[in-house]
Amino acid sequence: QVQLVESGGGLVQAGGSLRLSCAASGSIFRINTMRWYRQAPGKQRELVATITSGLSTNYADSVKGRFTISRDNAKNTVYLQMNSLKREDTAVYYCNADHVRDGGGLYNYWGQGTQVTVSS
């Protein structure tokens, strides 16, 4: 009932910036926490940033001070502004969201991912 589509990935030089977007669509009642994960080749998927419905945020230590997560509830979209990018930021970035259905029940959804490649 809910689909997440990421966009904004690409190739960028170290020190550069990129902004990722994730738009939710479908039968949306209420989206609570939204998250960005990333997965590099041969590594486990890791949590990068979270933002709650109350707009509190949390970041992985590796991106703290460089990345900013935000959301636009009117557009059902979450963003990840990435600054001062490093080679180790290279990964597929995935959007994740908790959705509450009308009548109750919490469901978790994943986007298909967008590739971010940082060159030196």
Side-chain angles (χ1 to χ4, degrees):
Q1 289 184 291
V2 175
Q3 297 81 43
L4 304 177
V5 180
E6 301 98 335
S7 62
L11 176 65
V12 64
Q13 289 189 336
S17 297
L18 213 57
R19 185 164 111 135
L20 306 182
S21 299
C22 172
S25 62
S27 183
I28 299 173
F29 180 68
R30 186 174 74 248
I31 295 178
N32 291 335
T33 300
M34 304 186 80
R35 309 169 182 87
W36 285 99
Y37 285 79
R38 68 185 180 188
Q39 187 168 25
K43 299 184 66 176
Q44 295 290 316
R45 189 170 298 184
E46 64 174 342
L47 179 63
V48 175
T50 64
I51 184 165
T52 69
S53 59
L55 301 183
S56 64
T57 59
N58 194 38
Y59 300 91
D61 289 340
S62 59
V63 307
K64 197 169 298 181
R66 300 187 297 119
F67 290 11
T68 302
I69 188 171
S70 61
R71 65 194 289 172
D72 185 339
N73 290 334
K75 297 180 179 179
N76 293 315
T77 300
V78 62
Y79 305 93
L80 186 67
Q81 178 67 46
M82 305 185 294
N83 299 325
S84 301
L85 284 162
K86 306 173 181 179
R87 284 194 65 188
E88 51 262 43
D89 296 320
T90 295
V92 177
Y93 284 72
Y94 296 90
C95 178
N96 176 272
D98 293 334
H99 176 243
V100 178
R101 297 181 181 180
D102 191 1
L106 181 66
Y107 296 83
N108 187 255
Y109 294 87
W110 290 90
Q112 293 184 236
T114 184
Q115 176 71 48
V116 172
T117 303
V118 184
S119 63
S120 59

